[in-house]
Amino acid sequence: MKPCFYITVLWLSGMTGMLRSQHALQSSLNFPRAGEEIIKQQVEYKNPGRSGAHVLWDFGQLNSVNDQYTLSYSEPVAVNDSMYILGLDTIFTKNLTEGKLLTGTEHHTMYYYYLTDNRWWVLGHENPTTLLQYTKPLIAVCPIHYQDSCRYDYQSEGLYSSGIPFTSDGNVQIRADAYGMMILPSGDTLRNVLRTRTSQTIHQVIRTGDSGTVEQSSSVETYKWYSKGYRYPIFETVRTAVMADTTETVNFETAFFFPPQEHYYLEDDPENSAMWEKDPDPEIGGPQNTDPWAGLTYNFYPNPAVTNLEVEVYLPRTAHVRMQLTNRPGQVVWSRDFGVWREGINTVQIFVSPFPTGEYVLNMWFDGYMTGEKILKK
């Protein structure tokens, strides 16, 4: 009896912009358009890893779960009974000169949105089992840049299983939290990639017979990766969990790959097509950047770690590599000299299970270049 709320806000994680020295995500470049259909592949879930600058995301070894997962956008053709229940009929009678209504259809569910020049309103959704209206709608504003963040409170009400009423409320926190380089399941490499993170809390109250109620709390964490020149994301991960007191139990994890060659809409997308003609940014190691480590990217996960810490590194050049873990007082608890690593992707697994719970620092040396990152041991 649990309605599905999370998909209605997943698009918001893509509205939080590019690195400030690069272009920002904008309505003209990244808002969906009626008449477009996107084919994405459902693939194995992989931990998104750390936030910050110069991050490596290696999704090259993930297996496909579903090769034909379709997302389409269209203009509503009629004000049906569901729209009247949602109150969406008012959208057809006011402010039509300022914006437009859009329907997104994915996995047997229709989502209703209202778009203006720089705002996207999430109004509600319906499928064979659930009808939901946001009484306090979600709103996203463009453009927003890397490291910007925002927080939305929302409220909704609806019907489940043809007549069981429910309400929900919570908040959605959005942040453009990382940028770097991505290795795709197709084997292609994309630089100048921005990642956005959306964290949603959900408190549901389902009304049962005889004035009884059932309360449920859950959370949804969604990451999306955007590359310059593409209207839609290239990759996304979704993780949902049930909350009981202070305990969180994961009940669903999945990921989606949007193959760049399937972005057919680019044939009629002059704004994004023009982005391909621009010179590379210095931060991704363009010809104007003489820093030999400008292309260094790395990732580690999970964080907090319980048993193993996975470390992935892309080296722009051959280097002598060593790493160490230090605890909060600065004592070295693990150290290893890896010798010479060649240019490209290198991986290592650190067994952290014997270490006490707490905070550690992962130090990494690449020849004379050194970087450090905070690690939590659970």
Side-chain angles (χ1 to χ4, degrees), residues 17 88 109-110 124 149 176 189 274 285 320-321 340 352:
L88 302 184
T109 301
M110 292 184 293
S149 62
T189 299
H320 183 206
V321 179
V340 175
V352 299

Side-chain angles (χ1 to χ4, degrees), residues 341-354:
W341 280 1
R342 294 186 178 275
E343 175 184 349
I345 297 176
N346 300 268
T347 62
V348 62
Q349 186 179 85
I350 304 174
F351 185 55
V352 299
S353 183

